[in-house]
Amino acid sequence: MEHLSIFLVDADQFSLNLYRNHITNQGIANVTTFSTGFDCMNNLYAHPDLVLLSSNLGYDLNLELLKRIKSFDSEIDVILLPGPEHRSVLEKIRHITSTTSKYDYALDYITMVTGRMRTVKKFVRQSA
């Protein structure tokens, strides 16, 4: 199992479970889920490598969480997952990738992000 530590924050339980299962199926075991930004903030002492913030939390809350996470530890990477409000972009992505589910774009995005994080972390370990 990969040694990345990921916090996943989503107010929608279905999406939260879907994303968590997708990440763990990639071999990343250390995924902690939160249904509120408040719970995420209270657990930042664990210093995750990556925080994924769902668009289900709302734009203003995501910006506030981003600011607070970065002020707590600027080394924590934060990714804002695209949501339905990005419909025009999502339709283009669906057309290009032939995805059918409204979640496919987010799952593909998560795969890309976690893959890059693994590569960077492996490089850092080898350089040390």
Side-chain angles (χ1 to χ4, degrees), residues 8-63:
L8 178 58
V9 188
D10 196 322
D12 178 68
Q13 193 62 44
F14 177 81
S15 297
L16 193 65
N17 290 333
L18 178 72
Y19 300 153
R20 182 191 65 232
N21 289 339
H22 181 73
I23 294 168
T24 57
N25 286 339
Q26 292 180 49
I28 301 170
N30 193 0
V31 180
T32 306
T33 60
F34 303 100
S35 57
T36 69
F38 182 76
D39 291 339
C40 175
M41 290 300 304
N42 284 336
N43 286 277
L44 286 177
Y45 64 86
H47 295 278
D49 297 304
L50 175 65
V51 176
L52 296 170
L53 299 176
S54 169
S55 62
N56 289 326
L57 298 173
Y59 178 76
D60 291 336
L61 181 55
N62 273 341
L63 286 181

Side-chain angles (χ1 to χ4, degrees), residues 39-103:
D39 291 339
C40 175
M41 290 300 304
N42 284 336
N43 286 277
L44 286 177
Y45 64 86
H47 295 278
D49 297 304
L50 175 65
V51 176
L52 296 170
L53 299 176
S54 169
S55 62
N56 289 326
L57 298 173
Y59 178 76
D60 291 336
L61 181 55
N62 273 341
L63 286 181
E64 185 60 32
L65 282 170
L66 175 62
K67 289 177 194 173
R68 289 184 181 198
I69 292 167
K70 288 301 190 175
S71 70
F72 177 82
D73 182 350
S74 63
E75 296 296 312
I76 297 174
D77 289 311
V78 180
I79 302 292
L80 304 175
L81 295 175
E85 65 276 11
H86 303 102
R87 189 167 313 281
S88 63
V89 173
L90 300 177
E91 289 304 320
K92 290 177 186 174
I93 291 171
R94 283 190 192 132
H95 178 70
I96 293 168
T97 63
S98 301
T99 56
T100 55
S101 166
K102 70 177 186 174
Y103 296 101

